[in-house]
Amino acid sequence: MTSRLVVTGTDTGIGKTVFSAALASALGAGYWKPVQSGLDGETDSETVSRLGNLPPQRIFPEAWRLATPASPHLSAEIDRVTIQPETLEPPQTNAPLVIEGAGGVLVPLTRQHVFADLFTRWRLPVILCARTTLGAISHALLSLEALRSRGIAVLGVAFIGDAQPDTERTIAEMGRVRRLGRLPRLDPLTPEALHRSFRSQFNIADFVGSDS
């Protein structure tokens, strides 16, 4: 069965794009970022292509590319663009697909919709990326509650950062969620180092055949 997975996070800037690159590479998957906010420098799609060694045909174009680096609802308003959430549907492909949201679970897409509303409609399994730093427990548990209150299936939590065994255990136990693994911060962050780290820390079988 073809795997289609949504990657979201407990916050912005936690490393879910790097995780998405590693996951897409490991699965031989395509990658889709529905909305890109901020076009200065490398976009998330370009980062995933570079770090995951994904060829251009496995990177699906964003539905909206917004110049202002802000929450999509605000970025769209500043750019004088109207986002139409009802038109956002995952691209058709026979290969696995990794879909990356923007920021956290409840980041506004418009003044009326958050990203979790898309996840509810798509009915695809979600991977929650969580930091291992101070505050991670509350942020992760709140995100899990928000997802489950909408009936969204959570595949598991991918931790990002230094090892914090108690934090990871607490989130897994109290959140009643599977711990998928932990991706450490890599320096230097190269495609080769990312590939090795993902393979050593995660079981690829956990991500295969997850499409609902």
Side-chain angles (χ1 to χ4, degrees):
M1 186 183 294
T2 299
S3 297
R4 295 191 299 165
L5 301 166
V6 173
V7 176
T8 188
T10 56
D11 201 351
T12 190
I14 65 172
K16 66 182 180 297
T17 299
V18 175
F19 173 82
S20 295
L23 180 60
S25 177
L27 289 174
Y31 170 85
W32 184 48
K33 176 91 171 185
V35 181
Q36 171 68 45
S37 296
L39 301 178
D40 289 339
E42 192 173 56
T43 66
D44 290 343
S45 293
E46 290 166 345
T47 297
V48 168
S49 178
R50 175 175 58 84
L51 289 177
N53 282 326
L54 269 63
Q57 61 269 26
R58 281 168 54 190
I59 302 292
F60 292 89
E62 304 93 335
W64 276 276
R65 289 170 56 86
L66 306 170
T68 303
S71 176
H73 79 288
L74 179 59
S75 182
E77 290 176 0
I78 293 172
D79 289 4
R80 299 183 182 277
V81 171
T82 300
I83 293 177
Q84 299 171 305
E86 67 276 8
T87 67
L88 285 172
E89 293 293 343
Q92 295 297 313
T93 174
N94 292 324
L97 180 66
V98 174
I99 304 169
E100 184 188 351
V105 172
L106 298 184
V107 163
L109 181 60
T110 68
R111 293 285 175 181
Q112 294 77 37
H113 301 88
V114 296
F115 268 85
D117 295 327
L118 291 179
F119 306 159
T120 302
R121 193 175 82 241
W122 292 341
R123 299 182 62 83
L124 297 175
V126 168
I127 298 167
L128 180 68
C129 290
R131 304 179 195 266
T132 57
T133 52
L134 186 65
I137 295 174
S138 180
H139 290 166
L141 295 182
L142 285 168
S143 297
L144 289 168
E145 282 201 12
L147 291 167
R148 287 181 174 140
S149 71
R150 290 166 168 79
I152 299 168
V154 180
L155 183 69
V157 174
F159 292 98
I160 299 175
D162 297 334
Q164 296 289 345
D166 185 74
T167 294
E168 297 170 41
R169 175 185 173 184
T170 300
I171 291 171
E173 291 181 351
M174 295 189 70
R176 305 182 311 282
V177 68
R178 176 166 44 173
R179 178 192 181 279
L180 296 170
R182 179 182 59 85
L183 190 64
R185 300 290 181 181
L186 300 172
D187 186 15
L189 176 57
T190 65
E192 295 74 22
L194 181 60
H195 178 78
R196 287 195 303 269
S197 181
F198 186 88
R199 286 288 184 178
S200 68
Q201 297 291 328
F202 293 86
N203 181 357
I204 195 64
D206 290 339
F207 304 97
V208 176
S210 301
D211 196 351
S212 63

